[in-house]
Structures are given as structure tokens and as C-alpha cells.
């Protein structure tokens, strides 16, 4: 349908670095499909990449209103909130992501970071240990670094 086509076009434009055009196409797609969580998520990714963090947050919140089980949106919103020093809110979204996808090393890493930022050392260590057991080398490395910083190295 029309909304799908515009959303797909927006994704292609964004992937080719044509952000201004992609923004327009996402807005057109959302007019015909305002509850399309996937379009909102991709739009939020573009907005975040353009450092339009308030707009990205609004789109992620709308995405989650449309589909509360959109795990990647919980993770991305958690990352955005953590970067904005809103650790408790970030932890809530990372917890939801971990509950929906228990094996997500990135969600466990994010949760550990949010809990550490919020002062929950024990919770942070538990979550970071799960992340450190990951096969994802980047997550494993970051979790190990944070565990050492917390005095709980492997």
C-alpha cells in the first residue's frame, strides 16, 4: 500500500545518506499509517542519528503505544534515555526488553549500565555478568570493562 511504499522509500533514502528526503518520506508514510510501529521506529532511528533526540524519543514512545512488545524500540529508547541521564526510565525500558528477549546481551548490557548509573551496584553487576557471557564480542568487552570499574571483574 501507499504507506508501506513511502516507508520503504524513506528507509532506502536514509541508507543512502539522503536524510532530508527520508524525513519527508517518513512523515508522508506516517500520515497514511500513523500506528505503524516499524515506520515510527525507523523514523526514530533517523531522528536520533540527526541528533534530534526529543523528536526521536517522541517517535519511540509512539512506536511503543502502537506495539508495546517492540523489543528493539524498548532498547533504543533505553539507550536514548540513558544518554540523557534518565537512568531510572532507561532501566525500565531495558528491563522490558530483557523480559521480552531474555537472551539479548545488548539489553542486559544497557540494563547494567542504567542500574549502575542509578546507584544499584548489585543489580548492575548481575546484569553485566549476563552481558559478559555473550557471544557478541563488543558487548562482552564493554560488560567486562564496566564490571572491572565496579570492582567485580571476571
Amino acid at each position: 500500500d501507499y504507506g508501506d511504499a513511502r516507508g520503504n522509500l524513506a528507509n532506502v533514502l536514509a541508507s543512502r545518506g539522503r536524510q532530508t528526503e527520508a524525513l519527508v518520506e517518513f512523515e508522508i508514510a506516517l500520515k497514511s499509517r500513523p500506528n505503524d510501529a516499524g515506520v515510527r521506529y525507523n523514523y526514530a532511528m533517523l531522528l536520533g542519528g540527526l541528533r534530534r533526540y526529543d523528536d526521536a524519543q517522541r517517535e519511540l514512545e509512539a512506536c511503543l503505544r502502537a506495539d508495546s512488545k517492540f523489543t528493539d524500540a524498548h532498547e533504543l529508547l533505553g539507550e536514548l534515555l540513558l544518554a540523557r541521564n534518565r537512568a531510572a526510565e532507561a532501566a525500565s525500558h531495558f528491563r522490558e526488553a530483557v523480559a521480552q528477549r531474555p537472551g539479548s546481551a545488548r539489553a542486559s548490557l544497557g540494563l547494567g549500565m542504567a542500574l549502575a548509573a542509578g546507584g544499584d551496584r548489585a543489580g548492575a553487576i548481575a546484569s553485566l555478568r549476563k552481558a559478559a557471557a555473550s557471544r557478541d564480542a563488543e558487548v562482552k568487552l564493554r560488560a567486562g570493562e564496566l564490571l572491572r570499574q565496579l570492582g567485580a571483574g571476571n
Side-chain angles (χ1 to χ4, degrees):
D1 89 337
Y2 181 74
D4 279 340
R6 296 316 279 254
N8 290 337
L9 177 58
N11 289 330
V12 169
L13 291 168
S15 73
R16 293 185 178 168
R18 295 167 61 183
Q19 288 89 356
T20 302
E21 294 166 273
L23 289 170
V24 171
E25 293 301 325
F26 276 125
E27 290 165 8
I28 292 169
L30 287 170
K31 284 180 184 169
S32 67
R33 298 186 64 134
N35 295 317
D36 188 319
V39 172
R40 289 201 176 276
Y41 175 80
N42 290 332
Y43 188 31
M45 293 268 299
L46 177 61
L47 292 166
L50 295 172
R51 299 177 187 242
R52 290 178 50 186
Y53 302 123
D54 290 336
D55 294 331
Q57 181 177 338
R58 273 192 295 280
E59 286 304 318
L60 288 167
E61 290 167 347
C63 172
L64 290 169
R65 282 192 300 277
D67 180 0
S68 65
K69 299 297 183 191
F70 200 128
T71 308
D72 290 338
H74 280 291
E75 284 187 30
L76 187 57
L77 185 52
E79 290 171 11
L80 177 65
L81 291 166
L82 187 57
R84 299 176 99 190
N85 297 313
R86 293 167 60 183
E89 292 170 85
S92 174
H93 285 284
F94 286 124
R95 275 191 189 95
E96 187 62 31
V98 168
Q100 290 176 14
R101 192 182 298 147
S104 174
R106 290 196 179 275
S108 292
L109 175 63
L111 179 57
M113 292 169 62
L115 293 173
D120 181 355
R121 183 177 180 276
I125 290 170
S127 189
L128 291 169
R129 283 190 172 141
K130 287 180 187 174
S134 166
R135 292 185 188 146
D136 182 323
E138 181 184 335
V139 170
K140 187 176 205 136
L141 178 65
R142 184 71 179 124
E145 290 171 0
L146 293 168
L147 284 166
R148 282 188 290 286
Q149 289 174 12
L150 291 170
N154 315 24

